[in-house]
Amino acid sequence: KGKGDVRVSQIEALVAFAAVWAFGGPLLAAHRGRFSLWWREAFGPSDGGLALIGDCEVFDGFVDRTGKFVPWGGMMPQLFVSCSINAGPGEVFVPTIETTRLCFVSRTLLTRASPVLLVGPPGNGKSALA
């Protein structure tokens, strides 16, 4: 593979990642599995530019700088809770895959001075990140 081939595959992976989230991101969690299955069937072994790992869904990771699909779990911070026993619910933050996704996308957009509007069902971490 030449250097140009690697660059093209990186761009294809990033476009696929953007398309997955543009079209599938607004879906309710209950429907994301069907969307992921459709994506894999529609694009075949290439997964539409995403080199998916095993049976994971298209929503289970992100595309890193090299163009590789990386599971969200690898980005989750280690959990260490040190708080008072009297701490209220708004004073303790437990990172989840969903909040990791929101942080990644928000941070990526904000570092480029792009506006961010967080949407989603109750309890997915929007208010905690704001």
Side-chain angles (χ1 to χ4, degrees), residues 92-113:
V92 178
F93 180 78
V94 179
T96 65
I97 293 291
E98 190 65 31
T99 58
T100 302
R101 289 177 189 152
L102 285 172
C103 285
F104 174 81
V105 173
S106 298
R107 190 176 314 113
T108 301
L109 292 169
L110 290 171
T111 57
R112 287 158 180 78

Side-chain angles (χ1 to χ4, degrees), residues 16-36:
F17 178 74
V20 162
W21 284 97
F23 298 111
L27 295 174
L28 296 174
H31 301 290
R32 286 186 177 176
R34 288 180 54 201
F35 178 88
S36 186

Side-chain angles (χ1 to χ4, degrees), residues 1-2 10 28 31 33 36 40 45 51 57 62-63 66 70 75 77-79 87 98 102-103 106-107 113 116 118 123:
K1 264 186 164 177
Q10 289 173 330
L28 296 174
H31 301 290
S36 186
R40 292 187 100 159
E57 294 185 356
F62 68 101
V63 176
T66 66
V70 179
M75 285 188 67
Q78 293 293 325
L79 179 61
E98 190 65 31
L102 285 172
C103 285
S106 298
R107 190 176 314 113
V116 176
L118 300 175

Side-chain angles (χ1 to χ4, degrees), residues 54-69:
D55 292 333
C56 71
E57 294 185 356
V58 294
F59 301 102
D60 291 344
F62 68 101
V63 176
D64 69 5
R65 293 179 188 263
T66 66
K68 293 182 182 174
F69 185 81

